[in-house]
Amino acid sequence: QVQLVESGGDLVQAGGSLRLSCAASGSIFNIGAMGWYRQAPGKERELVAAIFSGGGTNYADSVKGRFTISRDNRKVMVYLQMNSLKPEDTAVYYCNMQTQYMNYWGKGTLVTVSS
């Protein structure tokens, strides 16, 4: 059974930085896209950043220039470096990994940015 486990969420002041990590356990093969989503209280889950098997990336406009997504295919991990954090970045951040037939989610890690 595949499980994704996020780590790195914390309370940080505005302007600070955090690095989120997501590790996959179990048998997962031929991963295409890996990504990070977030859900703030009272809002829908939204895509933050995605990285594709060829290395291409996609970012939400709100995080461009501040966040960087990366992946380690050998370790089956995905990372999100978050700089210049803002209070509006406060949310539960979820890791996602996709294969041709499956879509896997972690349980989330809380990021709180104080003003």
Side-chain angles (χ1 to χ4, degrees):
Q1 183 177 358
V2 174
Q3 288 187 325
L4 305 185
V5 179
E6 302 96 336
S7 61
D10 206 345
L11 170 63
V12 63
Q13 287 189 334
S17 297
L18 284 175
R19 187 183 191 227
L20 304 184
S21 300
C22 173
S25 62
S27 298
I28 179 171
F29 303 102
N30 299 320
I31 302 172
M34 296 182 178
W36 288 93
Y37 290 71
R38 68 186 180 187
Q39 187 166 18
K43 294 188 177 181
E44 294 185 353
R45 189 175 298 190
E46 63 174 357
L47 174 68
V48 175
I51 183 166
F52 305 98
S53 57
T57 57
N58 185 33
Y59 294 93
D61 288 342
S62 59
V63 307
K64 283 181 181 176
R66 300 188 298 122
F67 291 9
T68 303
I69 189 170
S70 60
R71 63 192 279 171
D72 186 326
N73 293 322
R74 185 177 61 84
K75 295 181 179 179
V76 194
M77 294 189 69
V78 60
Y79 307 95
L80 186 68
Q81 178 66 42
M82 305 186 294
N83 298 328
S84 302
L85 282 161
K86 304 176 180 179
E88 51 264 43
D89 294 318
T90 295
V92 177
Y93 284 71
Y94 298 91
C95 170
N96 174 265
M97 295 187 186
Q98 298 178 14
T99 67
Q100 183 176 1
Y101 300 109
M102 299 296 291
N103 193 15
Y104 300 100
W105 292 93
K107 294 184 178 180
T109 186
L110 177 62
V111 172
T112 304
V113 184
S114 63
S115 57

